[in-house]
Amino acid sequence: MTVRIPLPERLRETATNPPQPPVTPRDAATIVVVRDGERGTEAYLMRRQTSMAFAAGMYVFPGGGLTASDLEHEVPWVGPDADEWGRRFRCEPRLARGLVVAAVRETFEETGILLAGPDADTVVSDTSGDDMQAARGALDEGELAFADFLDDHDLVLRADLLGAWAHWITPEFEPRRYDTRFFVAALPAGQRVGAMSRESDRAVWAPLSSVLASVEAGEAAMMPPTIAACREVSAHTAETVVAASIGREFPTILPRLVLVDGDPFLETHLGDNP
């Protein structure tokens, strides 16, 4: 299915003067964290500060770019291995492993939600303690590797709590580009979101049944990958979303700039798999 989205005003000048050659995208990972609410499935969304260089003022899921430590450190791990994640995301196992680590690390840094536990059968139920909250800051500043954080707390990363969902690459005309893999996960029982990330000025658990209507009405701003993920995930519950990701097929989507009667649009080709 081909979808054309009017190019936001903020991107029009950039699109007409793109970098030559295009900037190489940075590998990144994000997690659509969901929970069941009174109005159906809710996702945790953060609005990025208007001062941010990328996606300023946009509602996004927790996530960010890979760091060297995500790739270089041996992270204690249970669940699908790097080879399996590589198959799901069509990339080398080493990169796939780094993507999983980055997704879980960034989500903990930005929200306090931690997809880890003492063993393969349990998950941390409370991350509100002072030591956990201090670790979020140290991770964010690059003073602490995620592998060392897990070791210090006798925890293992619970890769089985994640599902592979989508793969988007920032358009070639953008000066900052990301090659982003999307994961899904349910909020672990007992956990609560902690202090808001410094990169955000607002955060909310948004019912997916209404969040898209808010975007359509101009009450909230989202990039196409976020909109697509909200639409697709809304068909599932917190209990079923990870299971729904198993065997899910999704393309790598690189939106391109097209002109229709002189007006610029972002054109994407979306699969039909919900």
Side-chain angles (χ1 to χ4, degrees):
M1 177 177 63
T2 299
V3 177
R4 287 178 179 168
I5 303 166
L7 195 68
E9 192 66 37
R10 65 180 182 84
L11 292 179
R12 294 196 175 208
E13 182 176 350
T14 301
T16 56
N17 297 281
Q20 296 294 336
V23 174
T24 300
R26 179 185 177 188
D27 288 303
T30 187
I31 305 182
V32 187
V33 182
V34 300
R35 71 179 187 183
D36 294 325
E38 292 183 358
R39 292 191 287 164
T41 304
E42 300 175 341
Y44 189 72
L45 290 160
M46 305 176 300
R47 188 174 64 188
R48 287 171 63 83
Q49 297 272 9
T50 56
S51 59
M52 299 299 292
F54 183 80
M58 296 283 180
Y59 279 92
V60 298
F61 305 115
L66 267 69
T67 66
S69 67
D70 294 330
L71 295 167
E72 296 168 358
H73 290 250
E74 191 65 28
V75 174
W77 176 300
V78 295
D81 62 18
D83 288 337
E84 176 60 25
W85 286 107
R87 285 190 290 272
R88 294 183 186 184
F89 282 119
R90 301 181 296 279
C91 65
E92 292 297 318
R94 181 173 182 269
L95 173 58
R97 187 177 184 88
L99 290 166
V100 173
V101 174
V104 176
R105 173 186 56 77
E106 284 278 351
T107 298
F108 179 58
E109 287 178 20
E110 295 185 342
T111 70
I113 298 169
L114 181 58
L115 299 170
D119 52 49
D121 301 313
T122 53
V123 64
V124 172
S125 61
D126 184 9
T127 64
S128 63
D130 291 343
D131 58 339
M132 285 275 188
Q133 294 303 305
R136 290 178 60 196
L139 288 164
D140 186 38
E141 294 293 336
E143 300 168 352
L144 177 66
F146 193 60
D148 293 334
F149 162 73
L150 294 175
D151 283 337
D152 291 345
H153 291 81
D154 296 318
L155 299 173
V156 294
L157 186 153
R158 289 286 306 275
D160 58 310
L161 299 180
L162 295 166
W165 198 261
H167 181 197
W168 287 73
I169 302 176
T170 309
E172 291 184 345
F173 62 78
E174 288 264 29
R176 288 177 180 264
R177 301 183 64 216
Y178 295 91
D179 188 336
T180 306
R181 277 73 169 192
F182 283 67
F183 296 81
V184 291
L187 177 70
Q191 289 195 23
R192 299 288 185 272
V193 175
M196 190 166 50
S197 164
R198 62 182 179 179
E199 295 182 355
S200 305
D201 63 12
R202 187 169 186 262
V204 63
W205 283 103
L208 295 177
S209 58
S210 60
V211 67
L212 294 172
S214 296
V215 173
E216 184 71 22
E219 299 167 354
M222 287 182 181
M223 295 180 293
T226 313
I227 294 171
C230 286
R231 182 179 295 114
E232 294 166 349
V233 171
S234 67
H236 306 284
T237 67
E239 183 178 358
T240 65
V241 69
V242 172
S245 72
I246 298 174
R248 173 182 165 83
E249 296 181 0
F250 50 85
T252 296
I253 301 176
L254 172 59
R256 66 187 186 96
L257 181 68
V258 297
L259 293 178
V260 180
D261 296 329
D263 291 326
F265 287 78
L266 279 179
E267 184 175 84
T268 65
H269 299 277
L270 304 179
D272 296 323
N273 190 339

